[in-house]
Each structure stands twice: as C-alpha cells, then as structure tokens.
Amino acid sequence: MHSAKIVQFPAAKQRPVQTPTKTVQEVGEDALVRTGEAHGDICIFRSDLRLMLERTPNDRKQISARILALRETFKEAELQLVKLLQEMRTATPAEAS
C-alpha cells in the first residue's frame, strides 16, 4: 500500500496591487462626466414619468417602473460619487506647467 506525502511549498509573497493614482483634476473631471450621464438619464426618466402621468395616470405598473428607474439612477450615481470621493483621498495635485 502506497502512502501519499503532502509537500508544502512556501507561500509566494504577494505584492499589493498598484493602482494608478489619479490627479485631483482627473477625479473632478470624472465627477463631471458621471454626474452629466446621471443628469441625462434622470431627465429622460422624468420625462417618461410625466408622459405616463398625462396618458395613463392610473397605470400603477408603468408609473412604478419609471419611479424605480429614477431610484436606480440615483443609487448608481451615489455609488459612483462615493467611489470618486475615495479616489480623491489618494489623488495627487496636478503638476504645474
């Protein structure tokens, strides 16, 4: 009968993942882009909601769908802004030219 031996190899040292640091200006520009996208989506969903209220004011399903779309847009925007604020903590000042 053969017996198996377990050979332990030394654990490889893992280096921390190096993420490129953005400048303060880059984080600010990202915030403008992301809030612009959210603003566009919100305007569309508000317009859809207004249209639904005019055409079918008692259509619970359709009106709820528009409200949920607005809610998801706000939630996604909030998550993106929180991420940008976290990036701002490590952002570096832009180099003077």
Side-chain angles (χ1 to χ4, degrees):
M1 200 158 133
H2 297 284
S3 62
K5 276 189 172 179
I6 297 176
V7 178
Q8 298 244 343
F9 292 97
K13 291 185 179 180
Q14 293 182 350
R15 295 182 183 151
V17 177
Q18 295 289 330
T19 55
T21 304
K22 293 182 181 179
T23 65
V24 171
Q25 181 177 356
E26 289 171 331
V27 174
E29 288 171 353
D30 282 351
L32 287 175
V33 169
R34 293 177 194 265
T35 56
E37 291 168 354
H39 179 263
D41 291 345
I42 290 165
C43 288
I44 291 168
F45 295 137
R46 286 188 74 235
S47 178
D48 287 350
L49 177 59
R50 185 176 293 113
L51 187 62
M52 280 291 119
L53 290 170
E54 290 171 4
R55 289 189 180 171
T56 55
N58 294 316
D59 189 340
R60 183 182 313 220
K61 184 177 178 180
Q62 292 298 320
I63 293 171
S64 292
R66 280 14 179 236
I67 294 170
L68 284 171
L70 281 165
R71 178 178 177 243
E72 289 303 313
T73 302
F74 282 115
K75 284 173 51 177
E76 181 61 32
E78 180 182 17
L79 290 173
Q80 290 177 1
L81 290 172
V82 167
K83 181 182 174 198
L84 288 170
L85 286 171
Q86 290 170 342
E87 288 179 10
M88 188 60 82
R89 290 181 188 158
T90 60
T92 59
E95 293 181 20
S97 34

